[in-house]
Amino acid sequence: MSKKQKKMLTRIIVSTLLLIVLHFLPLTGLLRMILYLAVYLIIGIDILKKAGKGIINGRVCDENFLMTVATVGAIALALYTESGDYNEAIAVMLFYQVGEFFQSYAVGKSRRNISALMDIRPDYANIERDGKLEQVDPDEVAVGSVIVVQPGEKVPIDGMILEGNSDLNTSALTGESLPREAHGGDEVISGCINMTGVLKIQTTREFGESTVSKILELVEESSSRKSRSENFISRFARIYTPAVCIAALLLAALPPVFNLVMGRPAGWENWVYSALTFLVISCPCALVVSVPLSFFAGIGGASKEGILIKGSNYMEILSRTKVVVFDKTGTLTQGVFEVSGIHHNEIEETELLEYAALAECSSSHPISKSLQRAYGREIDRSRVTDIQEISGQGLTAKVDGRSVAVGNARLMKQLEVAYAECHSLGTVIHVAVDGSYAGHIVISDIEKPGSRAAIAALKKAGVTRTVMLTGDTKAVAEKVAADLGVDEVHSELLPGDKVGQVEKLLADRDAAAKLPPGRTSKAKLAFVGDGINDAPVLGRADIGIAMGAMGSDAAIEAADVVLMDDDPLKIAKGIRISRKCLAIVYQNIIFALAVKFVCLLLGAVGYANMWLAIFADVGVTVIAVLNAIRALRVHRL
Ligand code: ADP
Ligand code: MG
């Protein structure tokens, strides 16, 4: 409990006790009024202040204002009728404060729970100095330092294992419950928990650039992006509260005037009381609290499963996804190519591979990493200069002063090199040295084990169209598409063409929905990529989903949703999580509005008193908050 909450609780208890004591004292007249007013101020002073501030700032009609008008009105009525019954005004304020207290307690607690679930921030890193381990702030560890991670500790910084074997628990990052084996030479990402062996890790990033820091940043930012449902609430409140105030005024004034006109007694007190009750009923607390909390819980639950959703607006779009467009390499396939053949011209096979690997030394494309691995030897970067990467085609560079071009047929055509066609099935990487053709390397990629199931799961989740886009050759693209069961495939695309294809699909969808121009369809389009040559596409789709482990930093920046473990099956899971979250949001909105509506009707015809009103509001808020917390439980979805 926070300090503020303790203070609140004290005020609630003190004023309750005072109210009971006053009840048994035979007080009358002025003294009675002063003592009751004192209790009213003890419990309600902050609400009065907030209402006052609201009026000064021009935000007249909020719930503080409603409570103030209702309770001050009730006191005024008690004075006017000389009934001396101040209990109701005080009790309404008291109940309201109990509700507020519970709400702030529940919200605070569930926020803390959610944050604790995502507690992956490491507090320290171990550095070995003179044979002893020293704990240092991970922020102070320079790139390339060697850190030691003992069993049971979190890996604090991204790096590569120098020494040791162990099992890593990645569940906090990916939701994957099976531990993953790790050996010397493997890359490890921060946030995993080291289970069995001592690991010596050479850091490859600074702490601030490491996976954990990135994730935490994303999650923290995510709560500031509002979804349409949340905007709906604030738009709603802007119209709703003034409308309620006007309705209350009419309720207080019209019937008595009507009575007067008809020659009956006006009955002011009754109608003013009804109007005040009406005001109490109309407080929209449950909505205001539970909607953001539901989104927050949903985002927390998803991130436990390794799906980072960067904002509640994306949660909403994800739940409406009907078209999913994939990039091939690194998204549906592993992006780990094996060399399946080398066909050379005049130069030696090893020399061909050496030129290719050297020229590729600084590219981040999966093809480059694969060629370097196939070459297998240390790469002397000083031999390579003038590297020019041509995205979607390949690259050119100077190796030992000779100009080398490595890439697909399109690149060769552009450089006017007479290349040989190759008929093996696979991705063909042509190499030209000093403008003449040197041969090609045939490489082939492996489909990710989960890809086929991922496409099937999407279909089951109601996705109507799956499309694969790739810069690779037609033969390779069609084989992969057929293997995986993708509906549609477009190949030999440059990065710009991929944007064009997505725009065409968006236009198609809008045309199918027969919308007036300028409106976009409710069926949303998601693009899934690794960000290599496709970051602009990630931005163009309704929602961009990036592969987080393999993907480039640019992709993680550009994407709206990041899959921590690159598993395409998580796309369908993300959709299911978002549907559950949105269902809870709508349940809360409808439930709260329905109860409000019934109470308002009862109040308008004089059947509800203030006690019932405040009880209904607190009750609805509690139920809505409990329902919101359900959005956190998504593991079995
Ligand atoms: P995808 O759409 O499958 O992700 P890209 O658009 O990244 O593929 O690349 C398309 C094609 O361009 C590749 O299949 C390859 O032939 C060629 N290419 C791209 N980058 C490189 C590179 N660094 N080295 C060699 N070839 C490349
Ligand atoms: Mg790609």
Side-chain angles (χ1 to χ4, degrees), residues 569-589:
L569 261 172
K570 290 283 168 70
I571 305 164
K573 176 143 200 175
I575 292 178
R576 290 196 299 272
I577 290 175
S578 67
R579 296 235 171 102
K580 173 171 181 180
C581 180
L582 264 292
I584 290 175
V585 167
Y586 286 123
Q587 283 161 14
N588 280 344
I589 291 180

Side-chain angles (χ1 to χ4, degrees), residues 9 42 46-47 67 82 86 90 111 155 210 253 265 286 307 367 369 374 388 408 423 434 481 490 501-502 575 593 635:
L9 193 61
I42 291 176
D46 56 330
I47 304 290
M67 290 320 293
E82 291 173 10
Y86 308 102
I90 300 175
R111 280 200 183 245
V155 176
S210 282
I307 305 164
I367 290 180
K369 298 214 178 96
Q388 276 293 322
N408 55 15
H423 299 288
D434 282 335
H490 301 275
Q501 284 292 341
V502 164
I575 292 178
L593 286 185
H635 190 63

Side-chain angles (χ1 to χ4, degrees), residues 141 285 379 434 450 484 551 560:
V141 178
C285 309
I379 285 179
D434 282 335
L484 301 182
D560 309 315

Side-chain angles (χ1 to χ4, degrees), residues 373-394:
R373 210 186 30 245
Y375 173 59
R377 268 178 285 165
E378 194 76 42
I379 285 179
D380 178 5
R381 284 164 175 269
S382 66
R383 292 168 61 189
V384 194
T385 56
D386 302 314
I387 303 174
Q388 276 293 322
E389 193 148 359
I390 306 149
S391 71
Q393 298 188 27

Side-chain angles (χ1 to χ4, degrees), residues 24 28 30 45 69 122 157 168 183 204 237 242 262 300 516-517 586 606 629:
F24 289 107
T28 49
L30 194 62
I45 185 73
V69 173
I157 305 170
L168 295 177
H183 312 281
T204 50
M262 298 300 286
Y586 286 123
I629 293 170

Side-chain angles (χ1 to χ4, degrees), residues 327 329 498 530 532 534:
D327 179 52
T329 313
K498 292 185 185 171
D530 58 357
I532 296 166
D534 58 20

